[in-house]
Amino acid sequence: MEYLLELATSPAAWAALATLIAMEVVLGIDNLIFISILTNKLPVEHQTKARRLGIGMALILRLALLSTVAFIVTLTQPVFEIAGHGFSWKDVILIAGGLFLLWKATTEIHHSVDPVAQADDKASAKVTMGLAAAIGQILLLDLVFSVDSIITAVGMTQHLPIMVIAVIVAVLVMLFASEPLARFINANPTVVMLALGFLIMIGMTLIAEGFGAHVPKGYIYTAMAFSAAIECLNLWARRARGKRAVE
């Protein structure tokens, strides 16, 4: 109790909490884009359920990983070498997650741009993509992003209550933002393509970090924000042209 009271009255602890919440929310954007694109392929009656289940399980997974934080930290220790470069289990997880993102985003782009197979793909997508398959893929990416965010959190603070609060707040933000984001992505096909491009960039970043090449997150999210701003201007321009055509 004294420990929690000391944290509650510590300005440094509050600053660490605010910083960690902001970081977790930003890292959650990657996960949320993937969840929105994936669940939009499900039948309408299953989409909300899949998003809530996926994000809820992400919360459970992250809290479970936080309870084993001492073990998670050991994942950064090299376990084998290839060509003189040491790889840890964290590196392996990041590389595997990056490859999965590249495969998934590339497949979705192919479905969107192939004029011949597009109709068949759309007709069969809801048959081949079941609720369990969607939840499984969401959890797979949840694991990758959770390990990455928790290791980053451990580097920012050693206080477990601060990490738990930051994770809960970030996942709640994801939960409330998931529906509007999914509707927006589904209503704007060009935004879907932009989001898939983001996933490819994120996948390449995960692979690069897995091979030891650190890519500053600020550069990635600045590029994403700039691209999103340009796309918003394009949407605004298209709507303005549509209104003038109607008039």
Side-chain angles (χ1 to χ4, degrees), residues 7 18 25 29 35 52 59 74 90 100 108 115 124 132 139 144 168 174 196 198 202 237 245:
L7 281 181
V25 169
I29 293 173
I35 290 173
R52 291 177 179 174
L59 175 60
T74 64
K90 177 195 173 186
F100 176 74
E108 293 298 326
S124 63
L139 283 179
V144 176
I168 291 175
M174 288 174 58
L196 290 171
F198 287 164
I202 294 164

Side-chain angles (χ1 to χ4, degrees), residues 5-188:
L5 184 60
E6 181 181 349
L7 281 181
T9 56
S10 171
W14 283 101
L17 177 61
T19 304
L20 196 53
I21 287 175
M23 185 206 72
E24 290 288 341
V25 169
V26 170
L27 290 177
I29 293 173
D30 309 339
N31 208 354
L32 198 54
I33 291 173
F34 177 80
I35 290 173
S36 298
I37 292 176
L38 188 64
T39 55
N40 280 346
K41 294 178 68 67
L42 292 170
V44 176
E45 63 271 16
H46 291 161
Q47 291 178 7
T48 299
K49 180 180 180 181
R51 281 190 283 270
R52 291 177 179 174
L53 276 175
I55 295 173
M57 289 181 179
L59 175 60
I60 295 172
L61 179 61
R62 294 191 184 194
L63 292 178
L65 289 175
L66 279 175
S67 67
T68 60
V69 67
F71 168 73
I72 296 297
V73 172
T74 64
L75 294 179
T76 60
Q77 302 299 320
V79 291
F80 62 91
E81 288 189 4
I82 296 179
H85 178 75
F87 289 88
S88 65
W89 285 117
K90 177 195 173 186
D91 297 331
V92 173
I93 292 173
L94 291 179
I95 293 171
L99 289 172
F100 176 74
L101 270 183
L102 288 181
W103 169 76
K104 191 65 182 177
T106 303
T107 302
E108 293 298 326
I109 290 175
H110 174 71
H111 288 171
S112 299
V113 302
D114 190 342
V116 177
Q118 185 176 5
D120 293 336
D121 288 338
K122 286 184 176 179
S124 63
K126 293 182 180 179
V127 176
T128 58
M129 174 62 71
L131 181 61
I135 295 298
Q137 292 185 38
I138 290 171
L139 283 179
L140 178 61
L141 261 295
D142 281 341
L143 176 63
V144 176
F145 290 126
S146 295
V147 170
D148 189 29
S149 66
I150 287 173
I151 290 176
T152 304
V154 171
M156 296 179 64
T157 180
Q158 299 298 317
H159 301 295
L160 187 60
I162 292 178
M163 297 183 206
V164 171
I165 293 173
V167 165
I168 291 175
V169 171
V171 173
L172 287 177
V173 170
M174 288 174 58
L175 185 61
F176 285 114
S178 63
E179 291 296 321
L181 179 63
R183 287 196 299 268
F184 180 73
I185 287 177
N186 195 41
N188 298 278

Side-chain angles (χ1 to χ4, degrees), residues 25-34 37 101 145 181 185 191 194-203 205 215-232:
V25 169
V26 170
L27 290 177
I29 293 173
D30 309 339
N31 208 354
L32 198 54
I33 291 173
F34 177 80
I37 292 176
L101 270 183
F145 290 126
L181 179 63
I185 287 177
V191 174
L194 179 64
L196 290 171
F198 287 164
L199 291 182
I200 288 179
M201 182 169 61
I202 294 164
T205 302
V215 181
K217 293 290 195 300
Y219 294 158
I220 300 298
Y221 292 112
T222 298
M224 290 172 64
F226 179 77
S227 301
I230 297 299
E231 182 60 26
C232 287

